[in-house]
Amino acid sequence: MAYLELKNVCKSYGEGKNKTEVLRNINLKIEEGEFVAIVGFTGSGKTTLINLIAGLIEPDSGQVLFKGKPIQGTSHERGIIFQNYSLLPWLTVYDNVAMAVKTVFPNWKPKEVEEHVNSFIAKVNLSHAAHKKPKELSGGMRQRVAVARTLAMKPELILMDEPLGALDALTRGNLQEEILNIWSEDKRTALLITNDVDEGVFMADKVIPLRPGPKATLGPEFDIKIDRPRDKTALNHNDNFKKLRNSIIEYLMEIGAERTAGQEVSAYELPDLVPLQFS
Amino acid sequence: MKTMTIKTVKFIGLGYLEPLIRLIAGEEVKKNAKEAFKKIMIPLLSVFFFILLWQSFSDYLNNVESEMKIEKALQDQGPEAAKKLEECIASGDISCRPNSLPSPLMVVGALGKLWDDHLLLSSKKADFIQQYAAVNEERLAKGETEIKYTGRPSFVDQIFTSLKTVFAGFLLSIIIAIPMGILLGLSETLRTSFNWIVQIFKPVSPVVWLLLVSMIVKTILANVDVEKSFVISFISVGLCSMWATLVNTSAGVSSVDKDYINVAKVLQLGTYQKIFKIILPSSFPMIFTGLRITLSVAWMVLIAIELLAQSPGLGSFVWEEFQNGSSDSNSKIIVAMFVIGLIGFMLDRIMMIFQKLLTFNN
Ligand SMILES: Nc1ncnc2c1ncn2[C@@H]1O[C@H](COP(=O)(O)OP(=O)(O)O)[C@@H](O)[C@H]1O
Ligand SMILES: [Mg+2]
């Protein structure tokens, strides 16, 4: 029995004519302690998939099984780091984390809560900003708060929805390592959603491409057999890493080409839209 | 020091003083002098022009009025009386001064008079309290009621009475509108079923509210010993002004960002915690905007309501002066107008400061 299992999961949005099937027949198995990354294009249904696993939305058909049981709603066992941070703007960094800790561990003494919160804020290097409000922080710092908030809840399964998607390359690299450091303390099961193949290969044990939606399905699994702890600069000269990365990118390019080719058949209309969100 | 001052000044919404402060601190003199001129001198000039315009308009109106009076005297009483009246007007005697829009100077004079009157009345009141202090103590000890000062209220007393009424009304609208708004915001069913009440009662005029409230209050409080006119006017003020808060609260509560709702879901907050830890804080800015509108509406309708309810305050002051028709009544009414405007402005500023202190936006 897999730790987390998705069986023929389908999900569509809208009704009648406007109905779009975002996910079709998603099958996925994650074992306990595994770090899995799912890579995919923007708009392919990654957030939809992770929200299904978090229990924020329900599948139209198929099953999401966590430890063998179908999930019902959200649970403190499955912690999620949202794509857009979702910090509460009226609370300080400390209070954002503390609110999560207090709700997950209601029986802890104030002293315990304080120590726990402070230790996680320290782990993401934000001790100096603990009493600032989110609007006073940079994007990278906000993302760190979101990471600290979720990891401080000590979830058994960590779900990360493009946690570093909005950050610049340098900040991104630093945070990848910070997340890996915290994760490696107790190696809980983790599912990372990303649009960056390098990030997936660097962080995960297994990378699975999501074939772009509508009707997205999961592609073949790529096992990343590189020892931990991994060193970013060393990896760049690692043949295994390069090979894996290239084959994943090739696969994505192929399905990307398929998609564009498919679109060229029908008259290509420029949508009259301004993109609001790039991921 | 300078940055602190600028911050405070900006915080209370007087940001236009910034260049002046910088100028005094000797910073970028040329640029700040220009800015200060633009932001302070030009508005001051506009005040000057306003006064000038007012002066000439009141001169014009008074001329028209005196000519009409002289004309009338000529027709009714003959040339001699007309001549006498003309001389009298020219001499500026109070007894025959035309009674139209007062000039700025007359208004300033009236303000001084009102202030002197206030000083006189308060010293009278203080004397009275001193005189009766011993007597009242005795009466209280015997379980009898105190003898209270019942003299005429001064203009300043009227201002405080009005403020008391407006705060009572404002409090009432908070007590009704915020919980109701939260309920309506939380439940779409409630919102659609009670929408008609909001839509119908929102535009009802303060006068009608006053009549409605007095119908009810007169019956309910028939045998209760309270100042009925005060109760009637503060309830009417509250009912008139609460709608902005009601609508804004329900809009704020019903439109909480989905991200925050997701946080509540992931943390598995209970209903109570979800409301108090997520929904209310996130709709606070909107609730506050509603409260600001409510307070300014409350102050605006208060004057009309006091006037009609015969309840003491600025409204009845204006009404009494109007009916009184003495030589400086018009000037006193204009003084009241400016005082009402300034207090309204101050109330809004105070609310704005609270809003900045208590909400997370800005
Ligand atoms: N609540 C929703 N209602 C309607 N359509 C949605 C909703 N959420 C997402 N979609 C659509 O589903 C598709 C996949 O979205 P999403 O899962 O957010 O993609 P990704 O996270 O991979 O960028 C997009 O085309 C998006 O417009
Ligand atoms: Mg997404």
Side-chain angles (χ1 to χ4, degrees):
Chain A
M1 181 190 72
Y3 190 63
L4 175 76
E5 186 170 4
L6 275 73
K7 280 190 196 162
N8 292 324
V9 168
C10 301
K11 177 74 192 173
S12 42
Y13 289 115
E15 292 288 325
K17 247 187 153 182
N18 296 323
K19 187 163 168 165
T20 43
E21 202 176 347
V22 179
L23 299 176
R24 164 177 282 186
N25 290 336
I26 296 282
N27 286 294
L28 174 70
K29 274 188 188 172
I30 297 179
E31 299 301 332
E32 185 157 10
E34 242 183 340
F35 195 133
V36 175
I38 292 179
V39 292
F41 292 104
T42 285
S44 56
K46 303 185 300 296
T47 298
T48 309
L49 176 62
I50 210 160
N51 282 349
L52 281 166
I53 300 171
L56 287 167
I57 50 176
E58 282 170 18
D60 297 341
S61 64
Q63 278 187 305
V64 184
L65 302 170
F66 180 62
K67 297 198 275 195
K69 278 183 236 129
I71 65 159
Q72 279 170 330
T74 55
S75 147
H76 293 160
E77 293 176 320
R78 285 167 275 127
I80 179 167
I81 302 174
F82 291 105
Q83 184 169 5
N84 43 12
Y85 321 136
S86 298
L87 300 177
L88 304 177
W90 56 88
L91 296 181
T92 60
V93 169
Y94 179 91
D95 289 333
N96 263 290
V97 180
M99 180 178 167
V101 171
K102 280 181 205 154
T103 38
V104 176
F105 308 107
N107 300 323
W108 281 13
K109 294 193 192 77
K111 186 97 188 147
E112 273 176 289
V113 172
E114 197 187 319
E115 276 168 17
H116 188 72
V117 172
N118 282 330
S119 79
F120 271 85
I121 292 177
K123 278 177 190 170
V124 294
N125 297 322
L126 275 182
S127 300
H128 63 284
H131 292 286
K132 287 194 171 156
K133 296 262 172 78
K135 65 157 198 250
E136 300 169 78
L137 306 179
S138 67
M141 291 160 94
R142 285 181 208 179
Q143 191 59 72
R144 288 189 158 93
V145 183
V147 169
R149 177 174 66 182
T150 303
L151 297 184
M153 292 163 71
K154 290 274 169 197
E156 288 182 36
L157 171 64
I158 307 166
L159 303 168
M160 294 172 265
D161 186 7
E162 296 190 46
L164 313 173
L167 306 179
D168 60 281
L170 273 176
T171 321
R172 213 171 161 141
N174 289 337
L175 255 174
Q176 284 168 359
E177 290 185 22
E178 274 171 31
I179 292 177
L180 277 182
N181 282 341
I182 304 176
W183 171 78
S184 62
E185 283 173 9
D186 42 15
K187 296 226 168 45
R188 287 165 190 265
T189 319
L191 176 63
L192 170 77
I193 300 273
T194 177
N195 56 21
D196 177 355
V197 175
D198 284 20
E199 183 172 291
V201 178
F202 172 60
M203 294 181 78
D205 300 320
K206 205 194 255 177
V207 173
I208 310 172
L210 183 68
R211 300 172 61 97
K215 297 179 189 156
T217 52
L218 288 174
E221 298 181 0
F222 293 81
D223 280 322
I224 316 294
K225 296 211 174 70
I226 302 174
D227 291 336
R228 291 179 192 274
R230 297 170 183 169
D231 178 55
K232 203 139 204 194
T233 23
L235 270 189
N236 280 327
H237 307 289
N238 182 322
D239 286 333
N240 196 5
F241 172 83
K242 280 196 252 176
K243 228 169 64 203
L244 272 167
R245 194 186 73 178
N246 289 344
S247 43
I248 296 171
I249 291 178
E250 228 164 79
Y251 177 81
L252 283 170
M253 300 258 279
E254 228 167 79
I255 53 179
E258 261 173 46
R259 182 165 66 157
T260 7
Q263 279 177 350
E264 266 166 8
V265 179
S266 55
Y268 192 78
E269 276 179 62
L270 279 175
D272 185 21
L273 293 172
V274 183
L276 282 174
Q277 195 183 333
F278 296 93
S279 41
Chain B
M1 169 63 201
K2 183 194 68 203
T3 6
M4 263 301 284
T5 324
I6 290 176
K7 250 192 183 162
T8 332
V9 155
K10 269 194 173 165
F11 193 77
I12 55 176
L14 301 173
Y16 46 84
L17 292 179
E18 185 186 339
L20 189 69
I21 296 168
R22 288 188 188 281
L23 186 66
I24 291 167
E27 186 188 309
E28 288 179 279
V29 173
K30 217 165 166 190
K31 185 184 141 217
N32 280 315
K34 211 168 147 190
E35 277 290 295
F37 178 76
K38 223 166 51 188
K39 288 194 171 160
I40 297 166
M41 287 314 285
I42 296 184
L44 280 182
L45 269 181
S46 78
V47 172
F48 176 73
F49 274 114
F50 173 78
I51 291 174
L52 209 69
L53 202 72
W54 172 10
Q55 175 72 55
S56 48
F57 191 49
S58 88
D59 281 348
Y60 167 76
L61 286 178
N62 282 305
N63 276 340
V64 172
E65 174 126 349
S66 3
E67 269 163 34
M68 270 171 14
K69 266 189 173 169
I70 295 168
E71 186 74 11
K72 193 158 179 284
L74 188 67
Q75 275 171 10
D76 294 353
Q77 295 161 295
E80 204 153 299
K83 188 117 200 264
K84 225 177 170 182
L85 185 64
E86 201 176 344
E87 274 166 13
C88 175
I89 288 173
S91 76
D93 196 88
I94 290 179
S95 62
C96 51
R97 189 185 282 169
N99 193 18
S100 184
L101 179 69
S103 72
L105 266 181
M106 283 162 76
V107 171
V108 173
L111 178 65
K113 254 194 194 165
L114 284 171
W115 182 246
D116 292 341
D117 182 51
H118 166 67
L119 293 181
L120 182 76
L121 288 176
S122 4
S123 76
K124 262 194 201 164
K125 189 174 174 180
D127 287 349
F128 176 89
I129 289 173
Q130 213 181 2
Q131 234 170 12
Y132 282 83
V135 181
N136 272 336
E137 221 164 275
E138 244 170 69
R139 288 182 67 110
L140 275 181
K142 272 193 253 165
E144 291 170 40
T145 52
E146 287 177 273
I147 301 172
K148 285 207 174 98
Y149 179 75
T150 50
R152 181 170 62 88
S154 78
F155 182 63
V156 179
D157 295 336
Q158 306 272 40
I159 293 177
F160 282 106
T161 315
S162 279
L163 282 174
K164 200 176 86 188
T165 318
V166 90
F167 280 124
F170 184 53
L171 221 62
L172 179 75
S173 60
I174 290 177
I175 291 170
I176 300 175
I178 291 185
M180 284 266 289
I182 293 171
L183 275 182
L184 295 190
L186 287 175
S187 150
E188 183 159 9
T189 325
L190 279 182
R191 203 156 57 245
T192 40
S193 28
F194 285 102
N195 191 34
W196 67 272
I197 295 193
V198 179
Q199 298 306 331
I200 289 181
F201 285 112
K202 199 171 57 169
V204 168
S205 133
V207 179
V208 181
W209 276 116
L210 174 76
L211 298 178
L212 184 72
V213 171
S214 57
M215 282 177 220
I216 296 167
V217 168
K218 264 181 195 144
T219 323
I220 292 179
L221 297 183
N223 302 315
V224 189
D225 181 35
V226 284
E227 250 181 280
K228 279 185 201 63
S229 65
F230 169 72
V231 174
I232 291 171
S233 50
F234 95 78
I235 293 180
S236 319
V237 167
L239 291 182
C240 251
S241 61
M242 70 176 203
W243 304 98
T245 302
L246 180 66
V247 169
N248 271 37
T249 307
S250 88
V253 167
S254 65
S255 65
V256 175
D257 196 325
K258 226 179 111 224
D259 288 349
Y260 308 153
I261 298 291
N262 275 344
V263 172
K265 276 191 193 164
V266 168
L267 294 181
Q268 297 189 295
L269 298 181
T271 318
Y272 176 84
Q273 287 207 317
K274 190 170 141 188
I275 293 175
F276 282 92
K277 295 203 159 162
I278 306 279
I279 293 177
L280 276 186
S282 91
S283 34
F284 229 69
M286 268 195 92
I287 295 179
F288 243 96
T289 310
L291 286 177
R292 260 175 88 178
I293 301 174
T294 289
L295 185 58
S296 60
V297 170
W299 183 244
M300 200 166 76
V301 300
L302 172 79
I303 308 302
I305 282 177
E306 277 176 352
L307 190 152
L308 280 164
Q310 304 275 302
S311 119
L314 283 172
S316 52
F317 170 84
V318 170
W319 188 237
E320 272 159 25
E321 286 303 331
F322 178 70
Q323 291 194 316
N324 190 345
S326 83
S327 58
D328 55 0
S329 282
N330 286 359
S331 309
K332 283 184 182 167
I333 290 172
I334 304 280
V335 171
M337 184 188 93
F338 279 110
V339 167
I340 290 166
L342 275 174
I343 291 177
F345 176 59
M346 260 159 44
L347 289 178
D348 191 53
R349 273 295 140 95
I350 291 170
M351 284 301 284
M352 198 185 78
I353 290 169
F354 272 118
Q355 183 170 24
K356 280 188 184 171
L357 280 176
L358 293 176
T359 67
F360 58 94
N361 279 354
N362 299 318

